[in-house]
Amino acid sequence: MANIKRRVSVLGSTGSIGINTLDVIARHPSRFEVYALAANSSVDAMLAQCLAFAPRYAVMMDEAAATLLRQQLPAECATEVKHGESGLADVVTAPEVDVVMAAIVGAAGLPSTLAAARAGKTLLLANKESLVMGGHLLMQAVREAGARLLPIDSEHNAIFQCLPVDDQATPGHKGVSKVLLTASGGPFRRWSYEQMTEATPDQACAHPNWSMGRKISVDSATLMNKGLEFIEACWIFDLQPERVEVVVHPQSVVHSMVQYLDGSVLAQMGNPDMRTAIAYGLGWPERLASGVGPLDLVATARLDFEAPDETRFPCLRLARESVAVGGTAMAVCNASNEVAVAAFLDKKIRFTDIAVIIERTLERVNIVEVTTLSVAEDADAQARECALGALADLQRFTSTSKRV
Ligand code: NAD
Ligand code: MG
């Protein structure tokens, strides 16, 4: 009998989305085969995943980590270890690969995500930063190569589920008036701006409903995550920004909604567990068991909704302004956010400085149209440099004011 298993490459396999993806795959051994796993540098986690899933390839971005992994893999394990961008490109574009889970964190995910789209793969897109940075290029590649993009970010996955089936691949917006993106509000939803100036990385990463990687957890606390998702929604569903609305919903049970012309609002609900969205992407158009328990509405009891506060959470405004400017503004917003979040996690700046750095960078970097990957990469590099300058200015200011 022919092999009907779908072969999957999981990029960012050692992260939160990657681990959840492998959890769902492990529940369906007759449907999926892991073709390749890819991660940055965590050798121990990758070794354990290779032993459990026996992929044909394991890719480590870091060459030294690849060497270490090669030494540690037992002789009976047939996994071949590759490294770097070329190793990643190989396991994305190989003709044997059916599905690519794009779950690398940050702008670093763009080249491989774009390569998967250009190779016409089924692209399960978790890496929202790649759309923010190169949305035009990525959506064009999906159309031209006939790739299938299935959104994994829970909000976009929810919207996708609430669209008519014939509207999912190429949105014609049949009867759709708006999409409503829900936001939990993050751990600082009730904090004043002054309180947020003292927030620590651990407090910012303690998300009330979702367990995620540290970068996206900080993004959720600043609401930049919702800003990036706002941009993501415009690209995936081909919507003008006026047709995307953010609604704060602290319980994270309604994952997002589609509002139709006749007044109907369709919502997708469920427990806050990424395996539902991942299983939907892996199984589409079928439904697969994901390991997520049924939603207990009586225990949930309440569903609250409120408007976001862009004064306390300026990152959401900055992301919306970047969409309005267009071109490389979104890549600049994304790159400066990555620099600022890393500095906050390193305890170099205050939580509220994240927005300050992004705003200063957006004011200083020249914005152009995104025509090629290198234009997007140049904008990303310029923004990082400029954000590092803004960061140094802030640190200088802080150390001077301490001395006074
Ligand atoms: P994470 O930090 O837990 O994991 C990141 C993964 O990417 C790791 O496997 C790491 O080794 C790999 N990686 C990092 N830099 C790399 C590089 N330069 N090259 C190759 N691999 C690299 O992150 P996460 O929370 O799993 O998020 C992954 C992506 O999914 C992000 O874009 C995030 O915004 C998105 N996302 C995550 C969630 C969630 O619940 N965690 C939800 C929605 C969307
Ligand atoms: Mg999300």
Side-chain angles (χ1 to χ4, degrees):
M1 203 176 87
N3 183 0
I4 51 156
K5 285 189 193 179
R6 305 198 79 203
R7 296 195 189 95
V8 188
S9 287
V10 183
L11 317 185
S13 65
T14 57
S16 166
I17 293 285
I19 291 168
N20 279 310
T21 303
L22 292 174
D23 180 287
V24 177
I25 287 178
R27 292 167 195 274
H28 303 280
S30 61
R31 280 177 175 263
F32 303 106
E33 184 181 312
V34 177
Y35 178 81
L37 297 172
N40 195 27
S41 56
S42 20
V43 174
D44 292 351
M46 182 58 95
L47 179 64
Q49 291 183 341
C50 288
L51 296 176
F53 291 91
R56 267 192 238 176
Y57 298 101
V59 183
M60 302 302 296
M61 290 315 287
D62 185 78
E63 193 173 354
T67 307
L68 207 58
L69 179 65
R70 230 173 259 125
Q71 287 163 356
Q72 293 189 6
L73 275 172
E76 65 274 17
C77 182
T79 301
E80 190 181 317
V81 181
K82 294 180 177 247
H83 74 266
E85 285 293 342
S86 65
L88 198 56
D90 290 347
V91 302
V92 164
T93 57
E96 297 97 316
V97 175
D98 303 301
V99 180
V100 174
M101 165 56 85
I104 289 174
V105 62
L110 178 59
S112 51
T113 305
L114 197 56
R118 287 183 174 153
K121 305 298 184 191
T122 293
L123 173 60
L124 307 193
L125 185 68
N127 175 229
K128 66 192 83 183
E129 295 92 342
S130 59
L131 258 181
V132 172
M133 186 178 163
H136 170 67
L137 300 173
L138 189 55
M139 296 314 290
Q140 187 181 33
V142 166
R143 277 192 305 276
E144 287 178 2
R148 178 166 302 284
L149 190 158
L150 296 166
I152 297 302
D153 211 347
S154 60
E155 295 75 4
H156 307 75
N157 187 272
I159 292 164
F160 191 86
Q161 293 197 38
C162 294
L163 287 172
V165 172
D166 59 351
D167 226 8
Q168 286 179 327
T170 43
H173 309 137
K174 290 198 196 96
V176 172
S177 54
K178 259 187 179 180
V179 302
L180 306 172
L181 270 186
T182 51
S184 69
F188 306 145
R189 185 171 61 93
R190 291 270 173 257
W191 288 34
S192 68
Y193 187 86
E194 289 65 35
Q195 282 174 305
M196 282 191 262
T197 58
E198 302 299 328
T200 66
D202 284 345
Q203 286 171 321
C205 289
H207 195 278
N209 308 324
W210 297 94
S211 154
M212 308 182 285
R214 279 173 85 76
K215 190 260 175 183
I216 184 177
S217 296
V218 176
D219 286 348
S220 299
T222 59
L223 288 204
M224 179 50 94
N225 184 47
K226 216 45 56 181
L228 300 178
E229 291 180 352
F230 182 92
I231 300 172
E232 189 184 5
C234 294
W235 284 120
I236 295 184
F237 303 112
D238 192 19
L239 287 166
Q240 291 301 311
E242 313 78 75
R243 295 176 73 188
V244 183
E245 187 178 326
V246 174
V247 186
V248 174
H249 163 50
Q251 291 87 2
S252 299
V253 164
V254 174
H255 298 312
S256 277
M257 298 168 264
V258 177
Q259 183 179 302
Y260 287 88
L261 292 174
D262 60 4
S264 300
V265 175
L266 301 193
Q268 187 263 348
M269 309 204 292
N271 289 318
D273 186 321
M274 287 307 293
R275 290 176 301 174
T276 299
I278 292 167
Y280 185 83
L282 282 169
W284 188 88
E286 284 177 56
R287 298 267 176 183
L288 300 180
S290 64
V292 180
L295 180 62
D296 183 342
L297 277 174
V298 174
T300 305
R302 294 178 57 138
L303 297 177
D304 294 308
F305 299 95
E306 59 194 55
D309 178 349
E310 291 190 1
T311 309
R312 276 186 307 134
F313 297 100
C315 284
L316 182 56
R317 169 180 61 79
L318 293 168
R320 283 195 307 96
E321 288 173 1
S322 310
V323 186
V325 172
T328 49
M330 292 167 272
V332 170
C333 178
N334 179 63
S336 52
N337 179 55
E338 286 188 26
V339 169
V341 170
F344 169 67
L345 285 171
D346 270 357
K347 302 189 175 162
K348 290 184 184 146
I349 56 166
R350 294 175 303 183
F351 180 76
T352 44
D353 290 335
I354 296 173
V356 174
I357 289 175
I358 300 167
E359 185 144 36
R360 289 189 188 166
T361 308
L362 277 166
E363 282 162 6
R364 290 174 192 171
V365 175
N366 189 31
I367 305 302
V368 296
E369 222 182 297
V370 182
T371 45
T372 61
L373 177 59
S374 64
V375 170
E377 286 175 337
D378 282 354
D380 178 271
Q382 273 183 48
R384 280 171 203 272
E385 204 183 314
C386 186
L388 286 171
L391 175 72
D393 288 348
L394 273 176
Q395 287 175 311
R396 251 195 304 277
F397 175 75
T398 319
S399 57
T400 321
S401 50
K402 266 186 199 144
R403 261 184 269 127
V404 173

